[in-house]
Amino acid sequence: MTDHLTPLPAPVDFVFRGVRERNPHEPEFQQAVHEVLDSIAPVIERHPAFEAAGVLERLVEPERQIMFRVPWVDDAGRVRVNRGYRVQFSSVLGPYKGGLRFHPSVNLSIIKFLGFEQIFKNALTGQGIGGAKGGSDFDPRGRSDGEIMRFCQAFMNELYRHLGEHTDVPAGDIGVGAREVGYLFGQYRKITNRHESGMFTGKGVQWGGAEVRTEATGYGAVFFAEEMLAVHGRTLDGLRVGVSGSGNVAIYAIEKAHQLGALPVTASDSSGYVVDDAGIDVALLREIKDVERARISVYAERRPSARFVANARPWSVAVDIAVPAATQNELDENDAQALIGNGVTAVSEGANMPCTPGAVSAFRAAGVLFGPGKAANAGGVATSALEMSQNASRQRWSFDDSERKLRAIVRDIHRAAFTAAERYDRAEDYVAGANIAGFERVAHAMLAQGVI
């Protein structure tokens, strides 16, 4: 994707050239840095103190990068070795905060891009949390519970020394759900002899987890779409919604879209996608993906109103709202043009950087409302911070209370991005607005705390 990146303004171009030279084989990381630098160039021009203090040069270099081997034994008694990562990018606003991803595609570039995005996403929430990300190239698909447990324990045997409720607080991500979080937290507790509930989020509700945490990222992406539409006096009621993916983010985006009166009609996995013009049946989708762990094609086999399209993505389906909620760079410029041609009016990123730069440019040129991931999917990390607050105070909040807090946070994030874009003459450019609002909070804190 980096071959298609546009030239950057002079105040930030030298920083990007440095990133390319020092990280030559990390295209996802380069892409994430380029997007942020492109947006914040006017901020650097308006605030020369940021340039004088080397804020950008420090910000694009992680405070700490940790790579380690993870040896574990499978059910056949064979020793397996995977690679583990934790990139702690910025702690200027609070303890490092960001998920762990277990997926074969995981490498240093992907973890760094995710960690870099997390800096600004977390800043936007206003909740005093820094940015980090981690994970492994371990693939949990097809593995037994015993194998998952042994891998998680081996992973935590190394990572535990870098964690703590005042240092670094991980959560789940792709491939890391409630089962994996339980095994990881259990091993941390065993090794440290401390029950620090606040050092891991995404826990089971019965043992320190927060209501709505599982639903938060998907709900938040739909709430953000609702906020973008509200600026124009519109609602989601009656609109067709296209969603990619079939994990937690996608499932709960579909659920919330239904609740707000929309008609979500697609879901997908790596084998293809389904279209259900009667509206995706959330209970059936959850049974197939969360319980049976089957392919998305099974949904069409059991649902007469649905059809399955193999080896394709759902972006040729006519929808009013698109919520890409699978993985990075899943929606390219051709997909964007197909959506635009079919009348899409808003896109809210449920995944991290799911739209390529070409797709983003196409949406913006066509006047499509576009909510970037660091704003639109910040509901997950925002609710993680709420979980940290509950753990620290030994309190429990109800589902309704937690959802109200989530909705208020998403509304504040939308307002921060919207007003920041207006201050820099980029009205309704949520990409620029989110990057600027998050960057300003981080940069001012960096100035205040000195060169460290």
Side-chain angles (χ1 to χ4, degrees):
M1 297 303 166
T2 55
D3 292 338
H4 304 288
L5 300 178
T6 57
L8 290 170
V12 297
D13 182 61
F14 77 98
V15 177
F16 184 67
R17 283 189 277 109
V19 168
R20 268 189 152 165
E21 290 170 4
R22 301 181 76 174
N23 309 274
H25 305 298
E26 299 176 4
E28 294 87 359
F29 177 51
Q30 292 178 26
Q31 181 182 339
V33 171
H34 184 280
E35 182 209 276
V36 172
L37 293 181
D38 190 40
S39 298
I40 65 174
V43 184
I44 301 301
E45 292 176 341
R46 192 176 294 185
H47 298 278
F50 294 160
E51 184 173 7
V55 165
L56 288 182
E57 294 95 315
R58 288 187 279 152
L59 201 54
V60 298
E61 191 67 29
E63 292 177 6
R64 189 175 293 106
Q65 301 182 64
I66 304 151
M67 293 176 58
F68 51 97
R69 73 181 183 197
V70 187
W72 58 283
V73 181
D74 67 17
D75 286 344
R78 179 181 172 187
V79 175
R80 304 274 186 166
V81 179
N82 286 94
R83 182 173 287 175
Y85 304 87
R86 188 66 174 173
V87 176
Q88 298 171 330
F89 240 106
S90 173
S91 59
V92 70
L93 294 180
Y96 304 109
K97 187 80 191 77
L100 297 173
R101 174 176 295 192
F102 292 171
H103 192 272
S105 66
V106 166
N107 57 38
L108 186 59
S109 177
I110 287 175
I111 295 300
K112 286 174 68 174
F113 119 64
L114 292 168
F116 187 72
E117 290 277 290
Q118 204 78 43
I119 301 171
F120 310 101
K121 180 189 298 186
N122 293 0
L124 277 169
T125 71
Q127 292 177 289
I129 44 179
K133 206 73 176 185
S136 173
D137 56 2
F138 170 74
D139 188 354
R141 290 180 301 178
R143 293 295 179 185
S144 69
D145 284 348
E147 289 175 322
I148 298 288
M149 181 183 71
R150 290 191 295 276
F151 175 81
C152 289
Q153 290 172 342
F155 184 85
M156 188 55 73
N157 282 343
E158 173 60 33
L159 188 60
Y160 85 93
R161 68 190 79 241
H162 306 289
L163 306 180
E165 59 187 359
H166 302 297
T167 304
D168 188 345
V169 182
D173 194 79
I174 294 172
V176 180
R179 173 182 57 175
E180 290 77 14
V181 169
Y183 293 146
L184 289 161
F185 179 79
Q187 187 70 356
Y188 178 86
R189 183 177 59 80
K190 176 73 171 178
I191 294 170
T192 63
N193 195 32
R194 294 195 302 270
H195 195 292
E196 292 180 37
S197 295
M199 64 68 54
F200 217 116
T201 58
K203 302 182 297 296
V205 174
Q206 302 84 352
W207 49 279
E211 298 280 6
V212 189
R213 175 60 190 91
T214 303
E215 298 86 352
T217 307
Y219 279 18
V222 176
F223 288 153
F224 197 87
E226 184 182 43
E227 291 295 324
M228 291 193 294
L229 292 173
V231 172
H232 298 273
R234 300 166 55 204
T235 70
L236 284 163
D237 192 44
L239 300 184
R240 281 170 61 93
V241 179
V243 179
S244 65
S246 50
N248 269 355
V249 180
I251 287 172
Y252 290 109
I254 291 168
E255 179 176 275
K256 184 51 63 178
H258 270 303
Q259 292 174 1
L260 294 176
L263 185 71
V265 294
T266 68
S268 68
D269 64 17
S270 58
S271 67
Y273 69 89
V274 291
V275 185
D276 188 345
D277 290 322
I280 294 291
D281 183 324
V282 178
L284 176 59
L285 181 62
R286 188 181 291 118
E287 172 70 20
I288 290 167
K289 300 305 292 188
D290 285 354
V291 179
E292 300 174 18
R293 302 185 186 273
R295 307 308 289 168
I296 197 72
S297 58
V298 175
Y299 178 93
E301 294 169 6
R302 299 183 188 173
R303 178 85 163 161
S305 56
R307 67 183 188 278
F308 172 66
V309 180
N311 303 315
R313 297 174 294 202
W315 307 124
S316 60
V317 179
V319 294
D320 302 294
I321 310 294
V323 182
T327 191
Q328 68 271 2
N329 291 324
E330 60 165 293
L331 195 162
D332 62 22
E333 186 173 358
N334 292 331
D335 297 323
Q337 294 295 351
L339 283 165
I340 292 165
N342 282 326
V344 74
T345 58
V347 177
S348 185
E349 292 190 317
N352 292 304
M353 206 169 71
C355 297
T356 67
V360 176
S361 295
F363 287 135
R364 289 163 64 182
V368 174
L369 297 171
F370 182 79
K374 62 173 61 68
N377 72 34
V381 75
T383 308
S384 283
L386 296 180
E387 182 175 334
M388 292 166 65
S389 297
Q390 292 176 76
N391 293 157
S393 60
R394 299 292 193 268
Q395 291 183 346
R396 288 283 300 278
W397 301 334
S398 71
F399 189 98
D400 289 344
D401 283 342
S402 297
E403 185 174 353
R404 279 193 292 271
K405 292 177 190 293
L406 168 64
R407 197 162 195 165
I409 291 169
V410 173
R411 187 173 294 117
D412 288 344
I413 291 170
H414 174 270
R415 185 184 301 113
F418 186 87
T419 57
E422 285 196 323
R423 280 191 285 110
Y424 285 87
D425 301 319
R426 303 280 291 271
E428 291 198 32
D429 183 344
Y430 290 101
V431 174
N435 285 328
I436 289 169
F439 172 73
E440 285 184 332
R441 290 176 181 176
V442 173
H444 283 297
M446 291 175 70
L447 281 184
Q449 295 177 30
V451 179
I452 54 173

